[in-house]
């Protein structure tokens, strides 16, 4: 019986037995060779080991734009000084007088040397990594040996952050055993701390799934070592997510009828809630503004929409009751869309906007928690994300049915699959900037196509003359020649078709990120079933990491699976 179908633990309990080897720490600092000098104000200065280590973090980034940024330099210098001896502190007072050039050159030479390594040296490193994975990369959870996702602790360095993060340049401390909380079961072999050290704590909490945790010093957030996505516990969570979306399928009509009724409610709060819900359902908007750590951009979700983010047009592009949306969503991706809405929704929006300033909340009686609470009342486990998952999955299933032509060959079927996937990505607003290499890779592909066309023309000419030849001679040998020339033409035609399909696919994919919806919103069983039904190798749809993540679905879905 597949592991994800096993009997589950009581509510909230994640495991009964958990044993692992603890984390792998970053290798200790290796002091620079004597001949690599650091200069301050033009004079050689020997740094203490601690100060030198932090200086090397800066030296390694010297060519990067970061080290020219004021905030980065200021934060770095402040943290660096904390690691200095009092003597160093009194000497080194101005970062601009520090010369890291020799250090930087030393590290560049090292990187170069690594690239030039012999096969044997590379093999040795590979073997050492494999040894680490074997020893630390697995744990035992209940009756299963499971892969651990990230058992190595990140080495110390300088914090970068996204955009203009105010903390960039700060020192990301080295994590020590004394920072580490180990989580494992009471009856397991507790991993021993490195010699001479102690763990911060060993606990036995089977309501959580992490094995190791610590608090990082920049944002104060808790970091965890967890299982690989391919593990039973992650697979089960993924499976549950799609089962929730399938439950929504059963009651979505009722929910829709309910919010339609609520558009007429006497209570303003209920009307606002009903319109917001309509947006979430129809446009797959997010509920609130879920921001990334440190993200400072002004991004919004459905509940936090402001008056300035929408424009109402009683008529536009020949359609009635149009709403024009323009705002920054998650990760600062612009959401721009013009959609016709029902008359009652339009009238309600006019009402919500009355006497308001552009910067006022559109839904002033609503916030994310109220909306989420309401969703819970409609269906257990319902969140805005479930609507997305439901709509994305059902759309993929419909599109696949529509676009797959039974007589197509495998490349053409895969093109259909990608088109179905793209329809979903557009629905979810998963756009991207065209990759930098796009034009170049398209040109390369076009060159290949042209060459293939020439090759095909040649092959056809050869076939023609072989046929003519065969008419004259009428012997077995020329018959065979014709057959083999025919086969060659067919083979080249197939190769050409494959290249052309690839070009179409790439062109259509230019501004769409397929992997977000593929990984997060599409029930993998739909894709697996489609592959099984049409005899498409699953590798054509999911790469290795994705196959691991969706192992549960690959195992479970039959060709007649219906979302
Ligand atoms: C730091 O050193 C730079 C380069 O020598 C110099 O231009 C700058 O004025 C110094 N800053 C301070 C505060 O002394
Ligand atoms: C999914 O979303 C699209 C775009 O809003 C909508 O037109 C469609 O009706 C939705 N499909 C389902 C089944 O909810
Ligand atoms: C949302 O609104 C409710 C009721 O007005 C209030 O009690 C709650 O604190 C608000 N929540 C947030 C996160 O603002
Ligand atoms: C598989 O695709 C994902 C994107 O979904 C990518 O991040 C990952 O690196 C790929 N893995 C392999 C092994 O190609
Ligand atoms: C440090 C850490 O991760 N602590 C968490 C451990 O698990 C409990 C729940 O059992 C949380 O409350 C802690 O925050």
């Amino acid at each position: 019986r597949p592991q994800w179908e096993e009997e589950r633990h009581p509510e909230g309990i994640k495991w009964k037995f958990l044993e692992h080897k603890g984390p792998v720490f970053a290798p200790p600092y290796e002091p620079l060779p004597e001949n690599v000098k650091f200069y301050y104000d033009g004079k050689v200065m020997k740094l203490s080991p601690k100060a030198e280590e932090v200086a090397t973090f800066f030296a390694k980034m010297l060519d990067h734009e970061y080290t020219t940024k004021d905030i980065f330099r200021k934060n770095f210098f402040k943290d660096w000084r904390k690691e200095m001896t009092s003597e160093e502190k009194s000497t080194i007072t101005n970062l601009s007088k520090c010369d890291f050039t020799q250090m930087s050159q030393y590290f560049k030479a090292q990187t170069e040397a690594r690239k030039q390594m012999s096969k044997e040296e590379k093999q040795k490193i590979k073997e050492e990594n494999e040894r680490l994975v074997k020893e630390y990369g697995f744990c035992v959870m209940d009756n299963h040996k499971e892969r651990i996702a990230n058992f190595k602790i990140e080495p110390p360095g300088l914090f970068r952050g996204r955009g203009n993060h105010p903390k960039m340049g700060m020192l990301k401390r080295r994590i020590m055993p004394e920072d580490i909380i180990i989580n494992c079961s009471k009856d397991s072999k507790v991993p021993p701390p490195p010699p001479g050290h102690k763990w911060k704590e060993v606990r036995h909490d089977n309501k959580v799934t992490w094995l190791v945790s610590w608090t990082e010093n920049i944002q104060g957030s808790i970091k965890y070592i967890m299982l690989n996505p391919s593990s039973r516990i992650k697979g089960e969570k993924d499976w549950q997510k799609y089962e929730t979306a399938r439950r929504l399928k059963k009651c979505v009509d009722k929910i829709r009828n309910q919010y339609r009724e609520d558009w007429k409610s006497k209570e303003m709060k209920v009307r606002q809630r009903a319109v917001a819900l309509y947006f979430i359902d129809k446009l797959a908007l997010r509920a609130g503004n879920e921001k990334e750590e440190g993200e400072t951009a002004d991004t919004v979700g459905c509940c936090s929409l402001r008056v300035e983010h929408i424009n109402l047009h009683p008529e536009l592009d020949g359609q009635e009751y149009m709403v024009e949306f323009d705002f920054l969503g998650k990760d600062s991706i612009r959401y721009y869309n013009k959609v016709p809405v029902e008359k009652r929704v339009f009238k309600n929006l006019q009402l919500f906007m009355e006497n308001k300033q552009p910067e006022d909340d559109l839904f002033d009686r609503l916030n994310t928690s109220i909306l989420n609470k309401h969703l819970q009342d409609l269906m257990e486990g319902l969140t805005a994300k479930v609507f997305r998952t439901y709509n994305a999955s059902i759309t993929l299933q419909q599109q696949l049915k529509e676009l797959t032509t039974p007589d197509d060959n495998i490349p053409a079927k895969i093109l259909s699959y990608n088109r179905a996937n793209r329809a979903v990505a557009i629905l979810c607003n998963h756009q991207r900037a065209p990759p930098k290499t796009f034009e170049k890779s398209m040109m390369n592909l076009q060159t290949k196509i042209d060459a293939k066309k020439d090759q095909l023309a040649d092959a056809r000419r050869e076939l023609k003359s072989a046929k003519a030849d065969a008419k004259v001679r009428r012997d077995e040998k020329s018959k065979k020649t014709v057959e083999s020339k025919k086969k060659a033409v067919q083979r080249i035609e197939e190769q050409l078709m494959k290249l052309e399909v690839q070009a179409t696919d790439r062109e259509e994919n230019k501004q769409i990120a397929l992997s977000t919806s593929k990984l997060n919103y599409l029930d993998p069983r739909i894709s697996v079933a489609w592959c099984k039904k049409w005899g498409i190798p699953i590798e054509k749809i999911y790469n290795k990491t994705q196959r691991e993540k969706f192992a549960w679905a690959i195992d479970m879905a039959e060709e007649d699976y219906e979302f």
Side-chain angles (χ1 to χ4, degrees), residues 125-285:
I125 293 180
K126 200 173 152 216
E127 275 165 16
E128 171 61 14
N129 279 337
E130 283 167 358
R131 193 190 62 78
L132 278 182
V133 171
K134 224 168 141 189
E135 171 150 17
Y136 294 95
F138 295 89
C139 70
V140 178
M141 188 175 267
D142 295 333
N143 297 317
H144 304 285
K145 188 174 169 185
E146 304 268 23
R147 257 313 279 277
I148 300 171
N150 52 338
F151 57 89
K152 283 186 190 165
I153 292 184
E154 264 188 61
L158 303 182
F159 178 71
R160 303 184 185 200
R162 289 215 222 173
N164 266 332
H165 201 288
K167 293 188 171 175
M168 66 161 96
M170 281 173 65
L171 174 64
K172 207 168 67 174
R173 270 191 320 108
R174 179 178 287 277
I175 303 302
M176 301 299 286
E178 285 70 15
D179 299 313
I180 295 290
I181 302 174
I182 297 281
N183 194 20
C184 59
S185 58
K186 277 198 180 113
D187 54 350
S188 76
K189 222 176 116 215
V190 178
H197 289 279
K198 282 197 302 227
W199 300 126
K200 179 177 183 187
E201 187 189 333
V202 174
R203 68 172 72 161
H204 312 289
D205 184 353
N206 69 358
K207 293 193 180 63
V208 297
T209 55
W210 53 265
L211 320 180
V212 171
S213 86
W214 67 94
T215 305
E216 57 85 32
N217 66 301
I218 305 278
Q219 315 255 41
S221 56
I222 302 175
K223 298 280 191 181
Y224 301 97
I225 290 182
M226 302 249 204
L227 296 186
N228 225 33
S230 63
S231 63
R232 173 185 61 104
I233 212 140
K234 293 270 165 111
E236 191 176 289
K237 221 173 143 215
D238 216 32
W239 171 74
Q240 274 169 355
K241 174 169 99 180
Y242 293 108
E243 288 303 297
T244 306
R246 289 173 93 193
R247 274 197 285 128
L248 176 58
K249 183 184 169 187
K250 294 204 190 95
C251 62
V252 72
D253 290 335
K254 201 172 132 219
I255 291 175
R256 286 174 176 161
N257 291 336
Q258 171 79 55
Y259 69 57
R260 289 203 141 73
E261 277 305 305
D262 286 349
W263 292 339
K264 297 178 260 178
S265 168
K266 287 200 187 66
E267 242 188 295
M268 187 57 118
K269 182 181 147 187
V270 174
R271 282 189 187 215
Q272 290 195 353
R273 198 178 67 191
V275 171
L277 198 50
Y278 172 74
F279 284 165
I280 284 174
D281 180 20
K282 192 172 162 67
L283 303 172
L285 295 191

Side-chain angles (χ1 to χ4, degrees), residues 417-541:
Y417 178 89
N418 288 343
R419 284 188 167 147
N421 196 170
R422 273 194 284 277
V424 175
I426 291 167
L427 186 86
C428 298
N429 202 37
H430 291 146
Q431 294 160 354
R432 66 169 182 187
K436 286 198 185 74
T437 53
F438 182 78
E439 292 303 332
K440 186 147 177 278
S441 78
M442 268 323 255
M443 253 159 62
N444 289 344
L445 195 53
Q446 195 52 51
T447 313
K448 276 193 203 163
I449 290 176
D450 292 343
K452 206 40 92 184
K453 279 183 178 161
D454 290 345
Q455 202 187 342
L456 182 60
D458 288 345
R460 281 189 176 142
R461 257 195 305 277
E462 279 178 34
L463 173 62
K464 209 171 157 190
S465 81
K467 274 181 177 166
D469 219 30
K471 252 188 193 157
V472 181
R473 297 196 196 189
R474 298 172 172 278
D475 61 357
E476 266 317 297
K477 192 170 166 233
S478 37
K479 244 194 202 163
K480 273 207 179 123
T481 312
V482 169
E483 276 316 302
S484 83
K485 297 280 177 207
K486 237 188 214 162
K487 283 221 177 87
V489 167
Q490 272 171 3
R491 204 176 54 237
I492 298 168
E493 274 173 350
E494 266 169 32
Q495 289 165 345
L496 177 63
M497 147 111 190
K498 217 169 160 179
L499 286 172
E500 282 175 333
V501 164
Q502 221 179 41
T504 312
D505 205 26
R506 221 179 268 178
E507 179 63 45
E508 289 178 359
N509 222 20
K510 193 171 166 183
Q511 288 180 312
I512 297 166
L514 290 187
S515 59
T516 315
S517 52
K518 212 177 205 178
L519 287 180
N520 301 306
Y521 295 110
L522 296 176
D523 183 344
R525 288 170 293 183
I526 298 169
S527 301
V528 172
W530 181 84
C531 282
K532 286 185 180 168
K533 179 163 182 187
W534 299 109
I536 312 284
I538 197 88
E539 302 78 36
K540 301 277 184 199
I541 302 296

Side-chain angles (χ1 to χ4, degrees), residues 38-92:
F38 167 76
Y39 295 85
Y40 185 74
D41 206 9
K43 291 189 256 323
V44 173
M45 186 171 171
K46 176 74 189 154
L47 295 172
S48 65
K50 270 175 129 181
E52 186 188 273
E53 179 179 2
V54 178
T56 62
F57 301 153
F58 194 83
K60 280 178 185 165
M61 293 176 73
L62 211 54
D63 286 345
H64 203 289
E65 197 197 341
Y66 274 118
T67 57
T68 62
K69 292 190 180 180
D70 276 345
I71 323 173
F72 191 92
R73 295 174 68 86
K74 207 171 130 250
N75 285 335
F76 163 72
F77 198 51
K78 191 170 163 214
D79 278 1
W80 186 27
R81 282 175 60 80
K82 289 181 202 155
E83 305 298 315
M84 292 177 186
T85 61
S86 50
E87 216 184 318
E88 285 165 340
K89 236 194 246 177
S90 62
T91 311
I92 304 175

Side-chain angles (χ1 to χ4, degrees), residues 250-468:
K250 294 204 190 95
C251 62
V252 72
D253 290 335
K254 201 172 132 219
I255 291 175
R256 286 174 176 161
N257 291 336
Q258 171 79 55
Y259 69 57
R260 289 203 141 73
E261 277 305 305
D262 286 349
W263 292 339
K264 297 178 260 178
S265 168
K266 287 200 187 66
E267 242 188 295
M268 187 57 118
K269 182 181 147 187
V270 174
R271 282 189 187 215
Q272 290 195 353
R273 198 178 67 191
V275 171
L277 198 50
Y278 172 74
F279 284 165
I280 284 174
D281 180 20
K282 192 172 162 67
L283 303 172
L285 295 191
R286 291 184 168 82
N289 42 341
E290 308 137 40
K291 288 192 190 181
E292 286 287 311
E293 254 177 46
E295 187 177 326
T296 44
D298 177 24
T299 63
V300 296
C302 188
C303 288
S304 43
L305 280 173
R306 297 190 296 266
V307 171
E308 61 195 331
H309 293 136
I310 66 170
N311 265 310
L312 301 182
H313 306 279
E315 222 190 300
L316 183 72
D317 306 335
Q319 281 181 292
E320 278 188 307
Y321 308 122
M322 294 289 278
V323 183
E324 187 181 2
F325 291 84
D326 192 355
F327 62 91
L328 291 183
K330 191 168 169 251
D331 296 334
S332 298
I333 305 268
R334 182 177 178 206
Y335 183 93
Y336 182 82
N337 202 358
K338 288 185 280 192
V339 272
V341 298
E342 294 188 35
K343 181 174 173 187
R344 234 178 247 288
V345 170
F346 195 86
K347 297 283 172 203
N348 268 314
L349 288 170
Q350 284 178 323
L351 186 69
F352 303 161
M353 288 164 82
E354 247 171 40
N355 303 320
K356 278 191 194 167
Q357 298 299 311
E359 64 277 11
D360 287 341
D361 284 334
L362 176 64
F363 301 117
D364 51 289
R365 309 286 170 92
L366 203 59
N367 62 29
T368 316
S369 21
I370 297 176
L371 189 66
N372 283 338
K373 165 84 176 51
H374 179 62
L375 292 172
Q376 282 303 313
D377 294 342
L378 291 172
M379 183 191 105
E380 199 193 326
L382 185 60
T383 61
K385 224 171 171 163
V386 180
F387 281 96
R388 278 184 158 240
T389 311
Y390 157 69
N391 193 317
S393 293
I394 197 98
T395 305
L396 178 74
Q397 183 167 286
Q398 284 163 353
Q399 290 284 311
L400 282 177
K401 274 192 189 142
E402 249 171 62
L403 297 175
T404 313
T405 312
D407 295 336
D408 273 352
N409 60 12
I410 291 186
K413 284 211 179 81
I414 293 171
L415 178 62
S416 304
Y417 178 89
N418 288 343
R419 284 188 167 147
N421 196 170
R422 273 194 284 277
V424 175
I426 291 167
L427 186 86
C428 298
N429 202 37
H430 291 146
Q431 294 160 354
R432 66 169 182 187
K436 286 198 185 74
T437 53
F438 182 78
E439 292 303 332
K440 186 147 177 278
S441 78
M442 268 323 255
M443 253 159 62
N444 289 344
L445 195 53
Q446 195 52 51
T447 313
K448 276 193 203 163
I449 290 176
D450 292 343
K452 206 40 92 184
K453 279 183 178 161
D454 290 345
Q455 202 187 342
L456 182 60
D458 288 345
R460 281 189 176 142
R461 257 195 305 277
E462 279 178 34
L463 173 62
K464 209 171 157 190
S465 81
K467 274 181 177 166

